[in-house]
Amino acid sequence: MQKLIFATNNLHKLKEIQYLLQEKFNIISLEEIGIREDIPETADTLEENALQKARFIYQKTQSDCFADDTGLEVDSLGGAPGVYSARYAGENASFDDNMDKLIAALAGHENRRARFRTVIALIIKGDEYLFEGQVDGIILKERAGKDGFGYDPIFLPEGFEKSFAEMDPEQKNAISHRGRSVQKLVHFLEDFTGIN
Ligand code: IMP
């Protein structure tokens, strides 16, 4: 089976992708190949960050690999926190700190529209490909639900009456930014293996 390295230290994401690509690709973690250092993530767009991470691993291993990057883009804040979503309220900010900061930043704003966007960068046989998934929604004025992570309790996806933190994982994955970007990656890889 063809090997593909996933440049992440997030075990939850790793398991999700291993499940989706089982029987087709052998998805290898960074730990399995002994890469324990932090991968640089210094660009100011999701696309460049995802590429930066994938290129870093490709240069080290010369093996097919992919990386992802996600941000929450809020219209009335000019797209912030975007690529800085994980550290919106500071370098070691908790999910709660970030949500509190976002709720405060939107106080008094009528327009609460936002979207989660994920970009996956794949390097396969030396060529680079990008896959994007997004989900539109609004930022709630207070938290709803306890599941999920990050900004889930304050994100209400368009067309639904439950926040991401009130959905079970299957329901969230079916419509989420990450779920959609992964579906595109999986379709591409299925075609790619079909013709290669
Ligand atoms: P990452 O690039 O997947 O590590 O995501 C960066 C940051 O975006 C995370 O630290 C979270 O704050 C936020 N984020 C990413 N995906 C989600 C999600 O599915 N729900 C809520 N927040 C998310």
Side-chain angles (χ1 to χ4, degrees), residues 13 69-70 85-86 116 149-152 172 177-178:
K13 289 187 192 172
D69 203 33
T70 296
S85 295
F116 274 114
F149 72 102
Y151 298 87
D152 279 348
K172 181 185 165 191
H177 46 302
R178 194 166 22 259

Side-chain angles (χ1 to χ4, degrees), residues 10 13 41 46 53 68-72 82-87 95 98 116-118 148-153 155 164 172 176-178:
N10 182 324
K13 289 187 192 172
E41 213 176 316
L46 298 175
K53 290 188 268 188
D68 72 337
D69 203 33
T70 296
L72 175 62
V83 74
Y84 307 108
S85 295
R87 45 203 152 116
F95 293 144
N98 287 335
F116 274 114
R117 210 158 63 80
T118 295
F149 72 102
Y151 298 87
D152 279 348
F155 187 80
F164 266 173
K172 181 185 165 191
S176 81
H177 46 302
R178 194 166 22 259

Side-chain angles (χ1 to χ4, degrees), residues 137-182:
I138 59 162
I139 302 300
L140 297 169
K141 291 186 174 146
E142 50 191 52
R143 292 161 174 76
K146 296 238 173 295
D147 291 338
F149 72 102
Y151 298 87
D152 279 348
I154 57 169
F155 187 80
L156 181 72
E158 199 172 272
F160 293 83
E161 283 171 9
K162 283 181 185 175
S163 78
F164 266 173
E166 294 174 301
M167 293 183 168
D168 55 47
E170 288 74 32
Q171 195 177 8
K172 181 185 165 191
N173 279 338
I175 59 164
S176 81
H177 46 302
R178 194 166 22 259
R180 286 174 172 159
S181 64
V182 170

Side-chain angles (χ1 to χ4, degrees), residues 14-187:
L14 182 74
K15 289 229 166 73
E16 187 179 297
I17 295 217
Q18 277 172 334
Y19 175 78
L20 285 165
L21 286 170
Q22 61 187 327
E23 291 164 23
K24 298 194 180 81
F25 280 84
N26 182 10
I27 306 295
I28 316 266
S29 67
L30 292 181
E31 208 185 331
E32 278 174 84
I33 54 169
I35 296 185
R36 284 181 188 85
E37 67 212 275
D38 277 342
I39 310 175
E41 213 176 316
T42 53
D44 55 13
T45 65
L46 298 175
E47 285 77 3
E48 283 300 322
N49 258 349
L51 277 169
Q52 186 183 24
K53 290 188 268 188
R55 285 174 185 153
F56 181 85
I57 297 303
Y58 189 73
Q59 272 155 19
K60 274 191 170 294
T61 63
Q62 300 298 311
S63 298
D64 298 337
C65 61
F66 65 95
D68 72 337
D69 203 33
T70 296
L72 175 62
E73 301 171 340
V74 180
D75 286 353
S76 60
L77 301 178
V83 74
Y84 307 108
S85 295
R87 45 203 152 116
Y88 183 44
E91 216 39 66
N92 296 311
S94 67
F95 293 144
D96 273 321
D97 296 337
N98 287 335
M99 282 191 283
D100 286 340
K101 181 167 176 182
L102 184 55
I103 290 168
L106 283 179
H109 283 275
E110 290 253 303
N111 179 359
R112 306 185 67 90
R113 291 185 59 79
R115 78 201 46 77
F116 274 114
R117 210 158 63 80
T118 295
V119 175
I120 294 177
L122 168 73
I123 304 180
I124 193 161
K125 307 233 187 288
D127 290 325
E128 297 179 340
Y129 302 88
L130 292 177
F131 306 92
E132 187 194 303
Q134 69 170 59
V135 56
D136 292 309
I138 59 162
I139 302 300
L140 297 169
K141 291 186 174 146
E142 50 191 52
R143 292 161 174 76
K146 296 238 173 295
D147 291 338
F149 72 102
Y151 298 87
D152 279 348
I154 57 169
F155 187 80
L156 181 72
E158 199 172 272
F160 293 83
E161 283 171 9
K162 283 181 185 175
S163 78
F164 266 173
E166 294 174 301
M167 293 183 168
D168 55 47
E170 288 74 32
Q171 195 177 8
K172 181 185 165 191
N173 279 338
I175 59 164
S176 81
H177 46 302
R178 194 166 22 259
R180 286 174 172 159
S181 64
V182 170
Q183 282 159 23
K184 287 185 187 170
L185 172 73
V186 169
H187 286 150

